[in-house]
Amino acid sequence: MTAAEIGALVVGAGPYGLATAAHLRGLGVETRLVGTPMEFWERRMPRGMCLKSEPFASSIGAPEPGLAFPDFAPGVGVGDPVPLDAFVAYGRWFAGRAAPVAEETRVERIEPAGDGYRAALATGEAVRAAAVVVAVGVGPFAHVPAELAGLAPDLLTHSADHGDLTGFAGRDVAVVGAGQSALETAVLLAELGARPTVVARRPELDWNRVPVEAGGRGPTAPLHGLGRGWRTWVYSERPAATRLLPYRTRRRIVATTLGPAGSWWLRDRFDERVRVLAGRRVAGADEVGGRAVLRLDGPDGTERLAADHVIAATGFVPDLDRLPLLDADLRARLARWDGSPRLDRDFQSSAPGLFFTGLAAAASFGPVLRFVHGTDFAARRTARGVARRVAGRPGGGAADTGTAGRLAGAGR
Ligand SMILES: Cc1cc2nc3c(=O)[nH]c(=O)nc-3n(C[C@H](O)[C@H](O)[C@H](O)COP(=O)(O)OP(=O)(O)OC[C@H]3O[C@@H](n4cnc5c(N)ncnc54)[C@H](O)[C@@H]3O)c2cc1C
């Protein structure tokens, strides 16, 4: 028997999937949300971590007031680091109040079916939907440089492979990278009794300044979701305008806005405990006697660093070809900006009814899509696009009868 078509299927229940599903529910679109709420944050970020974003910039976009992070944790202000477990609890609190009940399974496959899509769930169920929102986050796009690829998995992992670092106590760990993830992973390793060495290409590590509201001294440009400054204000608060820039400009902005730097509150814990090899580029890696040996090109030529394990804190590169979830023909047909889908103003790809949000949308809308702060804009727009797509079809809900008024907030 063929299942009846629903309006929308949202794949992934991280901040972007939750925000989108909440907005779709607000518009009355029949929606199924598949994924365990905040799974990536709980399982693939290290215990003991804090968010780099300020509390006000760690809010998941909601269709109604009262669901921002400061509503969940009143009294937490600018300069107060948000602990990982508080953010996971916030995401689940948000899910319970604003989103349809999440189905804690996975979508294994999405393929075109008639005028819509068919999705296969890990439960064996097939779901037909007029629209699909791919909100799978950063996990599928974990990037490991080719120079490290020769190491076996017991010697090399990505920073996103670890919810728990305790197994590294007493071991030498090389952490490759210079961003918050690298620096915080190294601190947590040291605090657990491991001996971390950070290997960074840049000649010196960069640290963010203490925000003014937290007692720091700084410029008077506005504080916003991506930090401080007028130019980044545009990227943070007006992603629709960023989308209109030439792609090459946008690509540069995505790559350089909020470049690798540590949080100010991490620095004291770092300086005393972590060895740093800055100005070194990893030229290659070998296994020698059960250990990893990195070949590093640096100011004094090539040197070698031996470690029991290497953690590549080398970020995430969106690439549609890393989403086997999507039917291969469908993937091949999608218009792209490099590896990312090319999206219209409502986050719809070149395949009608197939939407992407989160990191995969950064090539279209700019750097704020890499952060939780982008959920508000993204969810409003995506829900508007989905509602238009499903209007007049089964599961279209309020979208069947004209939603102009309710969609008004999506124009920003
Ligand atoms: C170490 C680290 C620290 C960060 N700190 C910050 C920060 O402080 N502030 C900030 O704004 N951003 C931060 N980020 C960026 C952060 O990842 C994004 O802002 C945010 O997680 C994006 O939300 P998302 O919903 O797109 O992705 P995710 O949170 O990754 O959620 C996607 C979800 O989809 C699920 N999923 C994937 N595939 C399927 C499938 N086939 N079926 C069902 N479910 C699926 C995953 O399990 C996951 O739970 C950080 C990232 C990392 C790696």
Side-chain angles (χ1 to χ4, degrees), residues 32-352:
R32 285 178 69 172
L33 169 63
V34 176
T36 301
M38 305 302 284
E39 183 181 37
F40 182 85
W41 286 81
E42 182 172 52
R43 298 189 37 196
R44 298 188 56 188
M45 300 216 193
R47 244 163 269 151
M49 180 193 114
C50 288
L51 271 68
K52 193 175 179 192
S53 51
E54 294 292 341
F56 77 88
S58 304
S59 296
I60 300 174
E64 68 225 45
L67 294 162
F69 186 82
D71 297 312
F72 171 76
V76 177
V78 171
D80 294 330
V82 175
L84 174 62
D85 52 1
F87 187 63
V88 171
Y90 162 62
R92 297 208 170 127
W93 175 85
F94 179 99
R97 278 165 181 72
V101 174
E103 299 171 41
E104 301 205 357
T105 182
R106 294 186 75 75
V107 177
E108 292 192 326
R109 187 144 193 87
I110 296 165
E111 56 193 16
D115 194 19
Y117 296 89
R118 181 172 47 237
L121 308 192
T123 55
E125 188 189 353
V127 177
R128 287 180 51 228
V132 171
V133 181
V134 179
V136 296
V138 299
F141 305 126
H143 169 71
V144 175
E147 290 80 3
L148 292 172
L151 293 174
D154 59 330
L155 291 177
L156 170 71
T157 46
H158 190 272
S159 53
D161 292 330
H162 303 286
D164 179 2
L165 294 166
T166 50
F168 293 111
R171 303 177 74 198
D172 294 310
V173 184
V175 181
V176 180
Q180 171 77 355
S181 184
L183 307 185
E184 193 167 24
T185 297
V187 166
L188 293 169
L189 284 166
E191 290 174 347
L192 288 166
R195 293 178 298 276
T197 301
V198 165
V199 178
R201 266 185 312 200
R202 50 180 49 229
E204 270 179 55
L205 297 179
D206 198 6
W207 296 93
N208 294 137
R209 275 190 275 180
V210 183
V212 177
E213 281 78 353
R217 291 151 62 89
T220 53
L223 185 64
H224 53 71
L226 292 182
R228 188 180 289 283
W230 288 107
R231 192 189 310 211
T232 44
W233 180 88
V234 175
Y235 310 151
S236 169
E237 309 305 317
R238 294 291 182 270
T242 311
R243 180 174 164 273
L244 300 178
L245 295 169
Y247 175 59
R248 284 178 57 170
T249 308
R250 202 166 53 249
R251 184 173 60 183
R252 178 177 47 73
I253 292 167
V254 170
T256 56
T257 304
L258 297 194
S263 289
W264 60 274
W265 45 260
L266 190 65
R267 193 164 188 176
D268 286 348
R269 289 161 62 200
F270 185 93
D271 282 342
E272 296 295 306
R273 298 181 173 91
V274 180
R275 179 182 174 217
V276 178
L277 293 175
R280 269 55 165 212
R281 198 181 62 79
V282 177
D286 305 293
E287 181 180 339
V288 180
R291 301 187 91 206
V293 177
L294 299 184
R295 273 175 282 126
L296 307 176
D297 286 343
D300 304 320
T302 300
E303 63 196 298
R304 288 182 159 63
L305 173 69
D308 298 313
H309 192 84
V310 179
I311 296 181
T314 40
F316 303 86
V317 178
D319 180 356
L320 283 168
D321 293 330
R322 293 204 203 165
L323 287 182
L325 170 74
L326 296 176
D327 169 73
D329 289 342
L330 174 61
R331 239 185 301 143
R333 275 209 319 267
L334 294 175
R336 300 177 185 213
W337 295 118
D338 291 325
S340 300
R342 197 184 275 227
L343 304 178
D344 73 7
R345 60 202 298 267
D346 291 333
F347 289 74
Q348 186 170 217
S349 69
S350 58

